[in-house]
């Protein structure tokens, strides 16, 4: 698989689909402690007819690199990749922290983003009581236990336990020095008051059972960005893998110009 050296990180990415397909390229950005394979279903579908880019963020999956402390630094990695691939304009699809990265890019470079899709993401981090307790405990419990507690909470009731354990193992393999600074970066992220500046066609997709970033927080984004389309699905925080076909169909309709 190809890699790109960016600011001390070797970013592993996939560049699939026809170069002359229908529409500008899609760029998929995964969330905290995840990797590019969260998007397997969506990439398999869209790469049949258009160019699709996805990457492992620095320190995640098969990408190297030390941790960073701001969402803006991760946004610079994405821009470096699309510049390297000579992609001037693109559609951004970001999940959770990837949605925070996508908002950052759109606000800084609106001329480059044709459409924006935010999946289980928010514009300002507001902790629920449970998440606040996890945050308070983050420096007092073993790292792998802390990660496991976060990942297990991410799935709606009824999701297969063995698959959750696989995601926990993959997340716990990411170095602490990558994971914890980014936890702080998400805590500090706040663009809610700027969302009205976004004129890019935007879709907000959220899981009804998301307790990591509750749907009520997403609805605050919808209020701040009144032209955005909103879709709520019967899932938890990990929508790309909990309801892959439904999410893909929702993206398909939005990208075709139809109402989601």
């Amino acid at each position: 698989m190809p890699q790109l050296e960016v600011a001390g990180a070797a970013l592993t990415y996939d560049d699939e689909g026809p170069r002359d397909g229908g529409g500008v390229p899609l760029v998929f950005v995964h969330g905290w402690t995840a990797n590019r394979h969260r998007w397997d279903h969506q990439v398999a579908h869209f790469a049949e007819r258009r160019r699709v880019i996805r990457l492992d963020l620095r320190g995640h999956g098969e990408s190297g690199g030390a941790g960073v402390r701001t969402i803006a630094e991760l946004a610079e990695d994405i821009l470096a990749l699309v510049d390297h691939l000579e992609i001037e304009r693109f559609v951004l699809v970001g999940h959770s922290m990837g949605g925070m990265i996508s908002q950052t890019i759109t606000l800084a470079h609106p001329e480059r983003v044709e459409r924006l899709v935010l999946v289980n993401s928010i514009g300002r981090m507001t902790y629920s009581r449970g998440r606040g307790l996890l945050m308070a405990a983050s420096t007092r419990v073993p790292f792998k236990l802390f990660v496991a507690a976060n990942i297990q909470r991410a799935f709606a009731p009824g999701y297969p336990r063995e698959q959750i354990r696989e995601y926990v193992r993959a997340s716990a393999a990411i170095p602490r020095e990558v994971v914890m600074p980014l936890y702080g970066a998400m805590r500090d992220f706040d663009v809610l008051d700027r969302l009205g500046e976004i004129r890019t066609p935007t879709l907000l997709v959220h899981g009804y059972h998301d307790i990591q970033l509750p749907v009520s927080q997403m609805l605050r984004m919808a209020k701040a960005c009144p032209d955005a389309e909103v879709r709520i699905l019967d899932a938890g925080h990990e929508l790309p893998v909990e309801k892959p076909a439904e999410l893909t169909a929702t993206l398909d309709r939005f990208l075709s110009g139809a109402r989601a």
Side-chain angles (χ1 to χ4, degrees), residues 2-220:
Q3 285 191 322
L4 176 67
E5 294 286 338
V6 177
L11 302 180
T12 298
Y13 66 92
D14 297 319
D15 182 357
E16 303 179 41
R19 299 298 185 269
D20 56 352
V24 303
L26 306 181
V27 179
F28 287 89
V29 188
H30 69 75
W32 180 72
T33 75
N35 59 57
R36 70 190 193 279
H37 292 293
R38 282 293 201 277
W39 302 111
D40 280 351
H41 189 279
Q42 293 75 38
V43 169
H45 174 80
F46 288 108
E48 292 181 356
R49 62 184 186 275
R50 65 194 294 172
R51 190 176 184 184
V52 177
I53 313 299
R54 60 175 172 173
L55 79 159
D56 288 333
L57 296 171
R58 59 172 58 225
H60 291 67
E62 296 177 281
S63 288
V68 295
R69 296 188 175 277
T70 67
I71 298 298
E73 291 172 275
L74 296 177
E76 288 300 319
D77 286 348
I78 304 297
L79 289 167
L81 176 59
V82 294
D83 286 346
H84 170 73
L85 297 174
E86 299 182 339
I87 297 172
E88 181 60 31
R89 193 165 169 80
F90 44 88
V91 172
L92 269 174
V93 184
H95 173 242
S96 191
M97 185 180 75
M100 299 178 186
I101 297 167
S102 299
Q103 292 171 69
T104 302
I105 293 171
T106 304
L107 286 166
H109 302 279
E111 75 285 353
R112 300 194 67 176
V113 182
E114 182 171 281
R115 285 178 177 258
L116 173 65
V117 181
L118 304 177
V119 182
N120 292 99
S121 193
I122 56 174
R124 174 186 294 159
M125 181 66 82
T126 303
Y127 290 118
S128 64
R129 183 174 183 275
R131 196 73 185 271
L133 290 172
L134 274 177
M135 185 66 189
S138 64
T139 59
R140 299 181 178 87
V141 300
F143 172 65
K144 291 187 177 181
L145 178 61
F146 168 71
V147 172
N150 271 280
I151 302 306
Q152 289 168 359
R153 285 165 45 89
F155 293 86
Y159 195 77
R161 290 181 178 273
E162 183 51 43
Q163 291 185 41
I164 294 175
R165 284 193 286 268
E166 287 296 326
Y167 289 121
V168 168
R169 281 191 284 268
S171 294
I174 301 170
R176 182 189 182 100
E177 57 269 24
V178 171
V179 170
M180 298 311 296
L182 287 178
Y183 201 84
M186 290 189 292
R187 178 193 59 208
D188 295 337
F189 179 76
D190 185 356
V191 299
L192 186 64
D193 293 337
R194 295 190 59 200
L195 291 182
E197 301 172 24
I198 295 178
R199 296 292 181 262
T200 303
T202 300
L203 171 65
L204 308 177
V205 193
H206 220 83
Y208 179 79
H209 303 285
D210 188 345
I211 61 173
Q212 298 283 63
L213 305 179
V215 69
S216 59
Q217 294 186 30
M218 182 276 288
L219 293 175
R220 295 175 68 191

Side-chain angles (χ1 to χ4, degrees), residues 45-46 117 119 203-206 229-233 239 243-260:
H45 174 80
F46 288 108
V117 181
V119 182
L203 171 65
L204 308 177
V205 193
H206 220 83
E229 297 181 30
V230 176
R231 184 74 185 274
I232 299 174
L233 302 181
L239 235 175
K243 297 288 184 177
E246 288 185 37
L247 176 59
T248 299
T250 300
L251 296 178
D252 223 348
R253 288 191 291 270
F254 177 68
L255 296 175
S256 70
R259 298 294 294 184

